Amino acid sequence: MFRRERSIPLRGSAAALCNNLSVLQLPGRNLTHFGVVHGPSAQLLSAAPEGVPLAQRQLQAKEGAGVSPPLITQVHWCVLPFRVLLVLTSHRGIQMYESDGSVMVYWHALDAGDASLVQAVFARGIASSGHFICVGMWSGRVLVFDIPAKGPNIVLSEELAGHQTPVTDIATEPAQGQDCVADMVTADDSGLLCVWQSGPEFKLLTRIPGFGVPCPSVQLWQGTIAAGYGNGQVRLYEASTGTLHVQIDAHARAICALDLAPEVGKLLSAAEDTFVHIWKLSRSPEGGYIEVEHCHGECVPDTQVCGARFCDPAGSSFAVTGYDLAEILRFSSM
Amino acid sequence: MQPFCTFTGVLNDIISTMFNRKFMEELFKPQELYSKKALRTVYDRLAHASIMRLNQASMDKLYDLMTMAFKYQVLLCPRPKDVLLVTFNHLDAIKGFIRDSPTILHQVDETFQQLTEIYGGLSAGEFQLIRQTLLIFFQDLHIRVSIFLKDKVQNSNGRFVLPVSGPLPWGTKVPGLIRTFNNKGEEVRKVEFKHGGSYVAAPKEGSFELYGDRVLKLGTNMYSVNRPVETHMSGASENLAAQTQESIAPNPLAKEELNLLARLIGGMEIKKPSGPEPGFRLNLFTTDEEEEQAALTRPEELFYEVINIQATQDQQTNEELARIMGEFEILDQPRRSASKGDDLLAMMDEL
């Protein structure tokens, strides 16, 4: 059972995007950072354990050509071995900041290149893998940036080709050992999933085809891929083989966000149907394959949820954002 | 001419202007989302494409209604591709108004073809992006609309009700089932869970053909039963800081936007009531005094700005727009029609 905690007010309402909430947990400092996209700006704020807001900052998408100010597609904290960077993707490019958003350390402008007049050009999908930060593009390409331990000397090291349609989300986890070397999954608007092995050169291990709907959100846990789809389904696959193991008719509308509490194998799914569900992932003792159990469902009345994250590694609390809502809703277990 | 014929004339004028080939050509060009100012300017021009006139307050109210109704339709689309079905519902209703005018009917059908050509083949992901972009335009608008409040479609805080029951989008199964498979793809387990809603599968997919059952009710005539036309201003707009920031920041690309508007509006013919035939003024309030009062008490954050052509440096564009704008005058005609908004709407429904 979960109860509503005190909400954190936002300066600007959340935009109707997917994965529109990033949370950086800093248990050592008794702080939690939240990041939400409003539209042409994104808001970062930090809060104390009871949800008391402490500081806030607004970031803008870097300007460029066009009639209106560029829109931000996603904001996400990347935890690397020696530093934490905040990455902001927009319809113009990729901006990287120190974790508090105070200093921009890198700017990568998008090259519209082969985009036809009717194609929207943008970057979307952000994840860190070791000392790399991977960012997806409208073209389906995934850019891999090599991040130094400190300073702005960030280098674009590779461009991965695997997708033909805009990337939606990227998930990573530390490699699980010899049996499963897959440590990154990328998803796109056609529902295709690409499974990768990171390294000085990333290697495409396997592809899991889509079925006509986008896959807006994806997670990776102990060699299992959890993917949320535009038709409300959550599917779990074995990362190394791409085999489908679980299919959940989870939501009545498109899923917009998934999150994981890796310590306990809890999965959070949120959708435009106003519901947030929590699932428990485990390995069956007999076959060793993945099993899922439903733990909890929460309705956020009259709210098209657009972002949801666990706020602690044990998954005992989570936060939610909704389109047009100027606050971050918080829930914690009783 | 009798008032009734004048009324048909008004509808025909507005619809034929809206579906004018040149205008549609401009609309279909790939472009970014319009600013609120730009859309309001185009809307104003369209609303005055006939001999009908509206004062500022009634114009604002009409625009509020249109905006909130459209926001409702986009927000509640079960699947992103349904925004196209909503558009087709709009076209179907419009065709009903101009049944007896083959020329205009043909214009609307042509537009239908264009929509199908351009949007018919888009993927679910592309429609998702379109819908998300449209929702950015409507972000933070919470004007309360009487008909929505009465129908319990909108809450008193201006937010729309999102039901957790009813038909699912086409392609979505009823939530509540967890199926587990083994390595060979065989189902080994089936478990139900309580999902909290009360949904039913969609009976069939809406038709994207020129004629067909759209299935979706969004985008059909809200006023098929005679209803009042009120909107409520107080507490309508939240997060002013975020909203006004957009309009205050100087737009260095105002010129480009003006060029866009000049091309769009350039093809529009402005109707001026000629000779003894009077124009007629549409008042969306119950009395003229109420209309005046509404204009005076409208909250500042809800002032609609229409593009000010004097702001541009470009002499040529300025002259062109000045010429177009100059042909347009609000004529102070004696009231011929009923000043009650609902009577006129009732007349419209009878057509």
Side-chain angles (χ1 to χ4, degrees), chain A residues 4 274 298-304 325 329, chain B residues 155 160 162 164:
Chain A
R4 268 286 296 271
T274 77
E298 192 74 43
C299 174
V300 189
D302 302 330
T303 304
Q304 266 192 11
L325 214 57
L329 306 173
Chain B
N155 293 321
F160 290 116
L162 300 180
V164 295

Side-chain angles (χ1 to χ4, degrees), chain A residues 129 173-184 195-199 203-205 220 223 239-241:
Chain A
S129 178
E173 71 166 348
Q176 298 298 297
Q178 289 295 84
D179 293 339
C180 182
V181 293
D183 56 0
M184 181 164 92
V195 186
W196 309 82
Q197 177 185 7
S198 70
K203 188 166 156 220
L204 178 62
L205 298 174
L220 188 56
S240 49
T241 59

Side-chain angles (χ1 to χ4, degrees), chain B residues 160-171:
Chain B
F160 290 116
V161 171
L162 300 180
V164 295
S165 58
L168 291 162
W170 182 253

Side-chain angles (χ1 to χ4, degrees), chain A residues 10-18 38 58 60 64-68 71 91-92 117-118 120 122 124 189 212-214 216 230-233 243-254 272-275 277 279 289-294 299 302-304 323-326, chain B residues 30 32-33 71 75-78 124-126 128-129 131-136 138-142 155 159-164 167-169 171-183 188-189 193-197 199 238-239 241-242 245-246 251 253 256-257 260:
Chain A
L10 286 169
R11 275 262 188 97
S13 59
L17 297 164
C18 295
H38 168 68
Q58 277 195 306
Q60 307 291 327
V67 174
S68 37
L71 298 169
H91 286 248
R92 295 283 178 272
L117 266 181
V118 297
F122 54 87
R124 184 178 60 187
D189 263 351
V213 287
N231 68 343
Q233 269 187 356
T243 313
L244 172 68
H245 278 300
V246 183
Q247 185 172 299
I248 314 172
D249 296 325
H251 289 274
R253 296 285 187 277
E272 290 179 356
D273 64 355
T274 77
F275 282 93
H277 287 292
W279 318 85
Y289 49 77
I290 263 288
E291 289 192 322
V292 178
E293 193 193 308
H294 181 251
C299 174
D302 302 330
T303 304
Q304 266 192 11
Y323 165 65
D324 237 2
L325 214 57
Chain B
E32 289 181 24
L33 193 65
K71 178 175 183 173
L75 190 65
L76 264 85
C77 269
E126 284 164 314
Q128 166 85 303
L129 184 63
R131 181 173 172 273
Q132 286 179 342
T133 310
L134 286 172
L135 286 175
I136 287 170
F138 298 117
Q139 215 168 318
D140 304 320
L141 285 173
H142 302 293
N155 293 321
R159 288 163 189 283
F160 290 116
V161 171
L162 300 180
V164 295
L168 291 162
T172 295
K173 299 207 183 119
V174 177
L177 199 58
I178 305 173
R179 299 167 67 198
T180 312
F181 306 90
N182 63 16
N183 284 328
V188 295
R189 204 159 146 234
F193 73 92
K194 199 163 171 300
H195 59 85
Y199 303 101
E238 296 166 21
N239 305 115
Q245 182 164 25
E246 197 204 291
N251 183 1
L253 299 146
E256 195 177 318
E257 195 167 55
L260 206 129

Side-chain angles (χ1 to χ4, degrees), chain B residues 23-291:
Chain B
F23 184 67
M24 278 297 154
E25 245 169 50
E26 283 301 323
L27 273 189
F28 276 101
K29 284 188 183 158
Q31 55 198 295
E32 289 181 24
L33 193 65
Y34 288 178
S35 69
K36 292 192 163 69
K37 268 195 260 181
L39 185 67
R40 175 57 196 263
T41 306
V42 174
Y43 193 78
D44 265 17
R45 306 286 292 160
L46 273 174
H48 290 98
S50 70
I51 57 170
M52 182 181 72
R53 292 292 177 263
L54 291 96
N55 280 348
Q56 182 71 10
S58 280
M59 192 63 225
D60 287 345
K61 188 180 201 182
L62 190 62
Y63 188 77
D64 287 345
L65 266 176
M66 183 281 291
T67 310
M68 289 308 289
F70 192 39
K71 178 175 183 173
Y72 173 68
Q73 290 162 20
V74 175
L75 190 65
L76 264 85
C77 269
R79 319 158 286 182
K81 190 172 184 181
D82 291 338
V83 295
L84 191 54
L85 280 178
V86 167
T87 307
F88 289 167
N89 272 336
H90 292 168
L91 292 189
D92 292 343
I94 287 169
K95 278 158 71 168
F97 293 142
I98 43 136
R99 259 190 303 259
D100 303 322
S101 313
T103 333
I104 313 175
L105 206 53
H106 178 71
Q107 278 177 272
V108 179
D109 278 345
E110 273 205 346
T111 305
F112 198 106
Q113 310 284 30
Q114 274 186 290
L115 282 167
T116 306
E117 241 174 67
I118 293 176
Y119 295 98
L122 291 189
S123 69
E126 284 164 314
F127 274 113
Q128 166 85 303
L129 184 63
I130 288 172
R131 181 173 172 273
Q132 286 179 342
T133 310
L134 286 172
L135 286 175
I136 287 170
F137 186 87
F138 298 117
Q139 215 168 318
D140 304 320
L141 285 173
H142 302 293
I143 300 164
R144 282 147 34 222
V145 175
S146 275
I147 184 178
F148 287 148
L149 294 170
K150 279 193 174 64
D151 289 352
K152 303 257 187 292
V153 136
Q154 191 180 26
N155 293 321
S156 55
N157 62 3
R159 288 163 189 283
F160 290 116
V161 171
L162 300 180
V164 295
S165 58
L168 291 162
W170 182 253
T172 295
K173 299 207 183 119
V174 177
L177 199 58
I178 305 173
R179 299 167 67 198
T180 312
F181 306 90
N182 63 16
N183 284 328
K184 299 193 218 122
E186 297 158 348
E187 186 184 297
V188 295
R189 204 159 146 234
K190 201 189 240 176
V191 176
E192 282 186 18
F193 73 92
K194 199 163 171 300
H195 59 85
S198 167
Y199 303 101
V200 291
K204 59 178 171 173
E205 187 176 16
S207 163
F208 289 91
E209 303 296 315
L210 185 59
Y211 296 99
D213 180 6
R214 311 289 175 210
V215 180
L216 198 64
K217 293 288 160 261
L218 290 171
T220 55
N221 190 356
M222 283 162 43
Y223 292 98
S224 46
V225 177
N226 190 18
R227 314 265 205 162
V229 188
E230 301 142 52
T231 53
H232 301 265
M233 289 300 108
S234 58
S237 174
E238 296 166 21
N239 305 115
L240 301 177
Q243 216 182 339
T244 49
Q245 182 164 25
E246 197 204 291
S247 49
I248 283 169
N251 183 1
L253 299 146
K255 197 176 98 174
E256 195 177 318
E257 195 167 55
L258 279 171
N259 286 341
L260 206 129
L261 279 177
R263 286 197 304 271
L264 256 184
I265 294 172
M268 281 197 222
E269 247 188 74
I270 303 306
K271 264 283 162 87
K272 277 205 287 201
S274 53
E277 188 204 306
F280 79 87
R281 197 169 72 75
L282 176 62
N283 177 356
L284 289 185
F285 296 82
T286 336
T287 62
D288 289 342
E289 290 69 40
E290 218 187 273
E291 189 185 42

